[in-house]
Amino acid sequence: MYELHKHGVVILDFGSQYTQLIARRVREQNVFSEILPPETSITDILNREPAALILSGGPSSIFGNEAPEFDKAILDTDLPILGICYGLQLLAHHQGGEVESTGQGEYGFAEIELDDNSGLFDSVPQTSKVWMSHMDRVSKIPNGWHTLAHSSNGVIAAMANEDQSRVATQFHPEVAHTEAGKIILHNFLFKVANCDPSWTPGNFIDEQIALIRKQVGDGKVLCGVSGGVDSTVVAALLHKAIGEQSTAVLIDHGLLRKNEARDCVNALKTGLGVNIHCYDESETFLSQLDGVTDPEKKRKVIGNQFIYSFDRISEEMGKMQFLAQGTLYPDVVESGVSKGKTAHVIKSHHNVGGLPEDMEFELVEPLRELFKDEVRNVGRELGLPEILIERHPFPGPGLAVRIIGDITRERIKILQEADQVYMDILHEDNLYNDIWQAFAVLIPVLTVGVMGDQRTYENLLGIRAVTSTDGMTADWFRMPADTLSKISNRIVNSVRGINRVVYDITSKPPGTIEWE
Ligand code: XMP
């Protein structure tokens, strides 16, 4: 079991904002990678049978008191090591070189020139642009090491020991701005180290099928489906692994996008033969939301009602021992590795799928090692339609947080129609996949307009589109003016109840992505 974990890469996380990116870049080359805390012991690392070790960047200074602890025995292993930024300084400092703090760092683009184009820099152009982000720098490389590249500012940009079993870059090869970053990581994985490129969606599915069967035996699994890609992929994977032993349940709270519940059920039931049941609970949810206008209260009402509905439905279905969830790797990393972080609660995110703690289920979480892009690839391999796979993230409370003020059936319908027109146009203009998340917001403020010879006095619609990698920060999408014009015209002409459209140009921060 877990054969796919072997001959991959262990990444020790010294606190870089790019650590997850390193893991993703490694996996893009079909090599398994796992992020571990910096103090992980060499025994724990070797037990995983990795083929290489990467030491990430980090905010600390190598000689400061706050420098993270690590097991010095890692420096004596036979495992090939790549140090990135702080990782380079750590290697320099602990192998007899010198690191200095000049008080003046390098941030952003730098140009490097190669001093040695073998091994790590094989097939890399003699000069290229890289992404730097560091305060300290190496002033003397360790004995027996040599410089692989230097930057035009005279900084040692990369270095290695004699046989290149220890290599290090001051810049960030994992960041897209580093022109040759992909080649450099490829060289590390396959020329410096001997990694196994077996981390593919097909192999992942085969391994998970075996693992799910082993975990579940002849038990029964309940699988909550929200319409989003993660839970849909879990349902499809479970179906492939254990067929009718798994029952997927979609609770329609009446606040999904137009046809979303239907499309999801069709794709799973008709397309893949998944045993799925959709429960229309909209009456209950909407009556609970009657008169509720406060955003946090809306979230609480929906979160609680979700639990009641789920409880009732699972009871009706008889004893289920297992509950399947679409937990992803970033959640696992955030909860495990970055311990001690204190996050300020801006909004109480209530994932529909969040369940009461006293429920007696054993969890099945087949995606807990995957990043979102990997989930999408697994979904494709399982035969899910592209429209479901590429779907933008959708908040658990759904349209409730996109209807400012009172939620009524009429308002939901107006927003669903407008949102559908907006999405159609993004697909028509081939923009949907360039955007991380796009949606419409109903702002029940009436403004005056004119249609034909008639005066109108109707609702305002906000439309929003953002680019982002994880939803934590976001920039507003530079939507082409022709597309904006098409969206506004078609919505005002075809959706009754809206006579004006505005585009939201707020980034996060200071805005949040959702309006409520
Ligand atoms: P904000 O609005 O906080 O959103 O910038 C960041 C991302 O989270 C989604 N979001 C939610 N997801 N339950 C969820 O499952 C929620 O209550 C919730 N609120 C926001 C939002 O759509 C965006 O992708």
Side-chain angles (χ1 to χ4, degrees):
M1 285 302 158
Y2 293 113
E3 276 304 308
L4 288 182
H5 288 191
K6 294 181 186 166
H7 316 301
V9 174
V10 162
I11 301 165
L12 293 186
D13 181 10
F14 288 90
S16 167
Q17 53 175 327
Y18 299 129
T19 305
Q20 291 197 25
L21 202 53
I22 304 173
R24 283 170 55 195
R25 294 286 175 260
V26 170
R27 289 176 182 207
E28 277 165 19
Q29 312 226 18
N30 295 335
V31 172
F32 177 70
S33 62
E34 185 176 12
I35 299 172
L36 296 177
E39 70 276 9
T40 308
S41 73
I42 187 69
T43 317
D44 281 354
I45 293 172
L46 293 179
N47 279 343
R48 294 169 149 83
E49 298 186 43
L53 196 57
I54 294 181
L55 314 179
S56 83
S60 315
S61 178
I62 196 75
F63 14 73
N65 286 339
E66 80 291 6
E69 296 272 315
F70 73 101
D71 183 352
K72 303 237 169 13
I74 62 170
L75 299 171
D76 302 324
T77 81
D78 292 335
L79 283 179
I81 301 179
L82 165 65
I84 297 176
C85 196
Y86 179 85
L88 168 135
Q89 291 161 14
L90 181 147
L91 286 172
H93 184 69
H94 290 280
Q95 308 260 279
E98 280 172 25
V99 178
E100 65 176 7
S101 201
T102 59
Q104 200 185 356
E106 268 185 312
Y107 297 95
F109 282 113
E111 184 153 294
I112 60 160
E113 185 173 352
L114 303 190
D115 301 306
D116 176 354
N117 62 1
S118 69
L120 192 68
F121 286 95
D122 188 25
S123 307
V124 172
Q126 184 58 23
T127 58
S128 66
K129 285 208 169 66
V130 299
W131 189 254
M132 294 279 195
S133 175
H134 65 101
M135 274 306 284
D136 301 349
R137 56 154 82 178
V138 171
S139 52
K140 179 173 163 292
I141 62 173
N143 274 343
W145 289 54
H146 63 286
T147 308
L148 297 176
H150 60 276
S151 83
S152 52
N153 299 340
V155 171
I156 294 168
M159 58 181 203
N161 66 354
E162 196 167 352
D163 65 359
Q164 291 213 22
S165 59
R166 303 282 181 270
V167 290
T169 61
Q170 182 59 74
F171 58 89
H172 289 269
E174 71 277 21
V175 171
H177 301 298
T178 296
E179 287 170 347
K182 196 168 173 184
I183 310 176
I184 295 167
L185 284 176
H186 181 90
N187 288 340
F188 175 68
L189 299 174
F190 302 114
K191 294 207 161 92
V192 173
N194 198 9
C195 291
D196 183 2
S198 58
W199 182 252
T200 61
N203 286 342
F204 172 84
I205 292 169
D206 289 345
E207 186 172 76
Q208 281 304 321
I209 287 175
L211 289 170
I212 292 168
R213 286 183 182 154
K214 183 159 178 258
Q215 183 187 2
V216 170
D218 55 10
K220 286 186 169 175
V221 185
L222 183 59
C223 176
V225 171
S226 69
V229 61
D230 307 337
S231 58
T232 311
V233 169
V234 171
L237 193 54
L238 280 169
H239 171 73
K240 200 164 166 129
I242 53 171
E244 295 287 308
Q245 278 171 262
S246 161
T247 305
V249 164
L250 189 149
I251 295 179
D252 182 356
H253 49 25
L255 293 151
L256 295 173
R257 285 189 151 133
K258 188 177 174 188
N259 299 333
E260 191 159 28
R262 190 197 67 187
D263 290 351
C264 177
V265 171
N266 277 350
L268 285 172
K269 193 178 216 156
T270 322
L272 299 177
V274 172
N275 173 21
I276 180 165
H277 302 270
C278 179
Y279 291 83
D280 181 354
E281 296 281 299
S282 56
E283 274 304 325
T284 322
F285 276 85
L286 296 184
S287 66
Q288 293 288 326
L289 284 167
D290 193 22
V292 178
T293 55
D294 176 71
E296 282 299 284
K297 187 119 190 273
K298 285 180 183 174
R299 279 193 166 73
K300 293 235 159 61
V301 167
I302 294 172
N304 289 339
Q305 183 53 46
F306 190 83
I307 290 170
Y308 301 140
S309 293
F310 201 90
D311 235 350
R312 197 203 72 235
I313 290 165
S314 62
E315 216 157 86
E316 277 169 27
M317 296 176 88
K319 179 90 185 124
M320 298 274 189
Q321 299 92 318
F322 298 91
L323 178 78
Q325 285 196 158
T327 314
L328 302 193
Y329 195 50
D331 306 325
V332 176
V333 175
E334 287 305 318
S335 56
V337 176
S338 322
K339 41 185 176 309
K341 264 193 192 162
T342 44
H344 198 72
V345 178
I346 310 286
K347 294 176 186 178
S348 60
H349 282 204
H350 207 302
N351 241 328
V352 166
L355 292 161
E357 279 170 11
D358 59 356
M359 267 189 155
E360 288 176 8
F361 284 114
E362 188 183 320
L363 289 181
V364 181
E365 297 179 304
L367 309 184
R368 54 183 286 123
E369 301 202 303
L370 300 191
F371 289 107
K372 192 89 172 183
D373 41 346
E374 295 177 311
V375 173
R376 293 194 160 116
N377 288 335
V378 167
R380 283 191 186 99
E381 185 85 14
L382 288 167
L384 287 168
E386 206 54 31
I387 184 121
L388 267 183
I389 285 173
E390 285 299 344
R391 194 167 260 176
H392 292 165
F394 187 70
L399 301 182
V401 290
R402 295 177 179 173
I403 296 172
I404 311 300
D406 270 333
I407 298 164
T408 62
R409 280 208 184 260
E410 193 200 352
R411 286 181 176 176
I412 295 173
K413 181 136 193 312
I414 294 175
L415 183 57
Q416 282 177 331
E417 295 298 330
D419 189 78
Q420 177 74 53
V421 174
Y422 182 25
M423 294 305 117
D424 286 348
I425 294 175
L426 293 181
H427 283 295
E428 279 167 32
D429 287 9
N430 280 324
L431 293 170
Y432 188 86
N433 291 343
D434 297 339
I435 296 168
W436 197 73
Q437 200 172 9
F439 55 88
V441 183
L442 185 67
I443 312 157
V445 167
L446 303 185
T447 73
V448 175
V450 55
M451 282 186 85
D453 292 330
Q454 295 282 320
R455 174 185 187 271
T456 60
Y457 189 50
E458 289 182 314
N459 293 291
L460 178 62
L461 186 82
I463 55 171
R464 182 138 170 81
V466 295
T467 54
S468 176
T469 48
D470 53 11
M472 301 299 284
T473 59
D475 195 9
W476 62 277
F477 180 66
R478 303 316 193 250
M479 185 86 71
D482 286 349
T483 306
L484 283 172
S485 159
K486 195 158 139 188
I487 295 165
S488 153
N489 278 335
R490 202 182 296 171
I491 289 178
V492 172
N493 280 303
S494 66
V495 181
R496 294 202 51 189
I498 291 171
N499 68 348
R500 189 179 297 271
V501 176
V502 293
Y503 189 51
D504 181 353
I505 52 165
T506 320
S507 301
K508 173 182 178 174
T512 51
I513 295 178
E514 303 291 343
W515 279 35
E516 285 200 333

